[in-house]
Amino acid sequence: MPKKYESFTREHLLFLRKKRVRNILVHVTQVGILILFLGIWELAAHLQWIDAFIMSCPSRIWLTLIELSNGGLLWKNAWVSTWETLVGFVIGTTLGYIAAVILWWNNFVKDVFEPYVVVLNSLPKIALGPIIIIWVGTGKMAIITMAVLISVVITTITLLNGFVSTDKDKILLLKSMGANRMQIFVKLVAPYNVPTLMACLKINVGMSWIGAIMGEYLASKEGLGYLLVYGSQVFRLDMVMTCTIVLCALAGIMYGLVAILEKIVVKGYR
C-alpha cells in the first residue's frame, strides 16, 4: 500500500478513536453530573438545608418507588399514561401528516387554512379542556383527544414547512419530464422530508406526553397525571416527585426509541 494511503488510514483511525473517546467522555460527564446533583440534593435534605417534606430527596423517593411498586399502583398507572400517550402520538402524527400533504397539494387550500392552523398552534390547548370533556366525556377518550390536539397542529406546521422548502429546481426538473403532482410527492417531496418527519416524531414525543398528562389532570381516575394530582392534594410530595421521575424516564425511553428509528430510517435514505 502506498505511503500516502497508509497515512490517510492512520489519520482516519485516529479521528475515529478521538470521536469514540469524546463520546465516552460526554456520557461519563452526563452521568457524573446526575450523580453529583442527586448527592447534593440528598446531603441538603440530610443537613436540613432544605425541607425534605416539601422538596423530598433521593432516599425518600426510592422508598416511595418501592412502596408504590410493591402494590402495583405505580406501574399500572404508568402503563395507562404510556398507552394514552402512544395512541395520541400515532393518531396526532398521522393526522398531521395527512393535513400537511393536503395543504401542500393545493395552494388555494393552503392559503385559506394556514392562518387558522397558526392560530390553533398559538391557542393554549388547556383552554379546550372543558369543551373536550363535554364533547367526548371523561376518561381515556378525553385524554387521547387532548394529546392528539397538541401534537397534530405542530406536526402539520413542521411538515408543511418541510414540504414547501423542498428543492424547487428538482421539482421543476420533474415537471419538465412530465411528472404529475402525485409522482412529485412520492418520488421527491416525501423522501426529501424523511429527516423532517423523524425530527417531528421526536418533537411529538414531548407533545404527546404533555397532552396526556394535561388530560389526566382534567378528567381521569388513573394514570401518572392522576397520581400527581392526588399526591399534591394529600401533601404526599414524595409521591409527586416519584411520579415525576418515572414520567421523565418513560418520556426519555420513548424519545430514545424514536432516535434509534431516526438513525435507521435516515441512514437508509442517504
Side-chain angles (χ1 to χ4, degrees):
M1 182 182 292
K3 291 184 177 180
K4 63 177 181 179
Y5 292 112
E6 291 180 359
S7 175
F8 173 77
T9 302
R10 284 197 301 270
E11 290 177 358
H12 182 64
L13 291 175
L14 181 61
F15 169 77
L16 293 178
R17 189 177 298 112
K18 288 182 178 179
K19 186 176 180 180
R20 193 179 305 113
V21 170
R22 182 185 180 279
N23 290 336
I24 294 174
L25 183 60
V26 167
H27 292 310
V28 170
T29 304
Q30 289 174 337
V31 174
I33 291 174
L34 178 61
I35 293 174
L36 179 63
F37 171 75
L38 294 176
I40 293 175
W41 187 8
E42 181 69 29
L43 180 64
H46 181 72
L47 297 178
Q48 297 184 349
W49 295 343
I50 60 174
D51 189 342
F53 177 78
I54 300 297
M55 303 293 293
S56 192
C57 63
S59 60
R60 292 171 65 107
I61 291 173
W62 175 252
L63 293 175
T64 304
L65 179 64
I66 295 175
E67 175 192 344
L68 296 176
S69 299
N70 289 338
L73 180 65
L74 179 63
W75 305 120
K76 174 188 174 183
N77 287 278
W79 165 246
V80 170
S81 295
T82 302
W83 183 83
E84 293 165 348
T85 301
L86 288 174
V87 174
F89 175 81
V90 172
I91 295 176
T93 302
T94 303
L95 293 179
Y97 193 94
I98 294 173
V101 172
I102 294 173
L103 293 176
W104 171 83
W105 198 280
N106 190 305
N107 287 328
F108 177 79
V109 174
K110 172 179 171 293
D111 293 339
V112 170
F113 286 99
E114 190 173 19
Y116 293 102
V117 175
V118 173
V119 171
L120 285 175
N121 185 52
S122 62
L123 175 68
K125 307 304 183 294
I126 191 67
L128 299 176
I131 300 176
I132 292 173
I133 293 173
I134 294 173
W135 285 352
V136 302
T138 59
K140 290 184 174 60
M141 186 58 66
I143 297 166
I144 292 172
T145 302
M146 180 69 75
V148 170
L149 284 177
I150 287 183
S151 59
V152 68
V153 179
I154 192 67
T155 302
T156 302
I157 292 175
T158 303
L159 288 175
L160 179 60
N161 289 335
F163 293 162
V164 171
S165 63
T166 303
D167 195 325
K168 300 295 188 299
D169 293 334
K170 293 181 179 179
I171 292 177
L172 289 175
L173 176 61
L174 288 178
K175 286 182 177 179
S176 68
M177 298 173 66
N180 57 34
R181 197 73 167 169
M182 174 64 75
Q183 291 171 327
I184 292 174
F185 181 78
V186 173
K187 298 295 183 180
L188 175 61
V189 177
Y192 186 87
N193 285 280
V194 167
T196 304
L197 175 60
M198 293 297 105
C200 190
L201 291 179
K202 292 164 76 174
I203 295 173
N204 279 354
V205 169
M207 295 295 100
S208 299
W209 275 106
I210 291 172
I213 298 302
M214 285 171 55
E216 289 176 352
Y217 280 169
L218 294 173
S220 178
K221 294 182 179 179
E222 55 185 352
L224 290 176
Y226 167 75
L227 286 183
L228 287 168
V229 174
Y230 172 76
S232 63
Q233 289 175 341
V234 298
F235 274 85
R236 289 200 59 185
L237 282 306
D238 295 332
M239 177 185 290
V240 173
M241 294 300 297
T242 302
C243 292
T244 302
I245 290 175
V246 171
L247 178 61
C248 291
L250 291 173
I253 292 171
M254 189 171 170
Y255 183 90
L257 292 175
V258 173
I260 293 173
L261 177 65
E262 179 186 28
K263 289 182 179 179
I264 296 173
V265 174
V266 174
K267 183 179 180 180
Y269 277 86
R270 287 177 180 174

